């Protein structure tokens, strides 16, 4: 049997197996569910991010605007740490797919040495150079609030996000419009259900996860609700 014949037979067997799986799923659970199962089986559980040009040593810098730094002085630092953690975990999915194996994230403690008292005028590129980064994930925290009323909480944040090349200063990636992230989307949380400190911390962690999806693969079932 020639190599081409073996390859043809293997392709037929694979096609037959996927077809059989679809038929079984339709029988058990209905057509829509079957197609979903088949898509996951073929494509995997992860969605690739819109930004696919991240590479080399990357640092995360979150810069608060004056209107947010007064009331939320620690939010930018906490958000940067949360985002760094999600990116570090998410980039492992790239490596698993044999994509962008060279990406490493500079520890946030190293970055924070140069971010003390950061203001709106702080330069993303200069911070990147100081920590030896090739690229900077630059987040402008334009607005942040977690209070929806008296003893009720609902997170709101407006951000501008860029991936910047440290050597040239060029913006390599910037989403056209990043929607305000609201959590919970449809109703606030009462202080009787969750205290203010715990809610704010949870919201910042969710915000970091929301931003990470611009740069690293994420589970298709991970919804920003």
């Amino acid at each position: 049997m020639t190599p081409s014949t073996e390859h043809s037979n293997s392709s037929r067997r694979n096609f037959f197996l996927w077809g059989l799986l679809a038929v079984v799923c339709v029988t058990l659970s209905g057509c829509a569910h079957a197609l979903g199962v088949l898509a996951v089986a073929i494509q995997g559980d992860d969605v690739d991010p819109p930004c696919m040009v991240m590479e080399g040593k990357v640092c995360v810098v979150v810069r608060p605007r004056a209107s947010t730094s007064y009331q939320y002085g620690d939010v930018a630092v906490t958000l940067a740490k949360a985002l760094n953690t999600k990116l570090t975990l998410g980039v492992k999915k790239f490596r698993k797919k044999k994509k962008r194996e060279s990406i490493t994230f500079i520890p946030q403690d190293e970055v924070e040495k140069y971010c003390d008292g950061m203001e709106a005028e702080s330069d993303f590129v200069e911070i990147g150079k100081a920590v030896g980064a090739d690229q900077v994930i630059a987040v402008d925290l334009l607005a942040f609030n977690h209070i929806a009323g008296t003893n009720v909480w609902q997170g709101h944040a407006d951000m501008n996000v860029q991936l910047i090349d440290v050597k040239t200063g060029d913006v390599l990636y910037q989403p056209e419009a990043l929607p305000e992230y609201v959590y919970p989307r449809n109703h606030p949380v009462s202080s009787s259900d969750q205290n203010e400190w715990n809610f704010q911390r949870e919201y910042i962690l969710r915000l970091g996860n929301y931003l990470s999806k611009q740069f690293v693969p994420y589970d298709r079932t991970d919804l920003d609700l």
Side-chain angles (χ1 to χ4, degrees):
M1 183 179 295
T2 65
S4 60
T5 303
E6 291 179 354
H7 177 75
S8 177
N9 289 339
S10 176
S11 298
R12 291 193 188 97
R13 285 195 297 270
N14 290 338
F15 180 80
F16 174 77
L17 289 174
W18 287 122
L20 180 61
L21 175 61
V23 170
V24 171
C25 289
V26 168
T27 302
L28 294 177
S29 307
C31 184
H33 178 70
L35 292 176
V37 170
L38 187 58
V40 171
I42 296 173
Q43 300 175 8
D45 293 331
D46 296 326
V47 178
D48 280 339
C51 177
M52 296 291 284
V53 295
M54 188 171 61
E55 62 183 5
K57 294 181 180 179
V58 183
C59 73
V60 176
V61 181
V62 178
R63 184 172 67 182
R65 289 298 173 94
S67 59
T68 61
S69 61
Y70 174 74
Q71 185 177 3
Y72 294 104
D74 297 330
V75 169
V77 174
T78 306
L79 176 58
K81 290 180 179 178
L83 179 55
N84 189 305
T85 298
K86 292 299 297 186
L87 292 168
T88 300
L89 294 173
V91 80
K92 294 178 180 178
K93 296 181 179 181
F94 268 143
R95 295 182 181 133
K96 186 177 180 181
K97 295 181 177 183
K98 308 283 185 195
K99 296 180 181 178
R100 327 210 83 78
E101 296 180 1
S102 62
I103 301 170
T104 58
F105 290 97
I106 295 174
Q108 204 60 34
D109 290 344
E110 294 292 320
V111 179
E112 293 307 325
K113 293 177 183 178
Y114 300 92
C115 296
D116 187 35
M118 180 181 287
E119 298 177 353
E121 294 76 19
S122 299
D123 192 286
F124 289 121
V125 172
E126 290 304 314
I127 293 173
K129 289 179 179 177
V131 298
D134 299 306
Q135 298 177 342
V136 178
I137 292 179
V139 180
D140 264 317
L141 190 61
L142 305 176
F144 181 94
N145 187 28
H146 73 281
I147 299 174
T150 303
N151 295 323
V152 289
W153 328 123
Q154 187 176 43
H156 292 259
D158 278 318
M159 302 141 293
N160 182 53
V161 182
Q162 298 175 323
L163 180 68
I164 302 175
D165 184 281
V166 172
K167 185 176 181 180
T168 65
D170 294 338
V171 176
L172 303 176
Y173 170 76
Q174 181 175 1
E176 291 185 5
L178 195 64
E180 177 188 41
Y181 180 53
V182 180
Y183 173 80
R185 187 175 299 171
N186 298 318
H187 59 82
V189 174
S190 170
S191 60
S192 61
D193 296 323
Q194 190 174 21
N195 69 49
E196 181 177 359
W197 188 89
N198 285 337
F199 176 81
Q200 179 173 315
R201 179 171 178 79
E202 179 187 351
Y203 178 65
I204 293 173
L205 292 175
R206 288 179 175 271
L207 184 57
N209 183 61
Y210 172 70
L211 292 173
S212 74
K213 294 178 181 181
Q214 295 293 316
F215 302 99
V216 293
Y218 57 94
D219 191 301
R220 66 181 69 251
T221 62
D222 182 4
L223 304 178
D224 298 302
L225 301 177

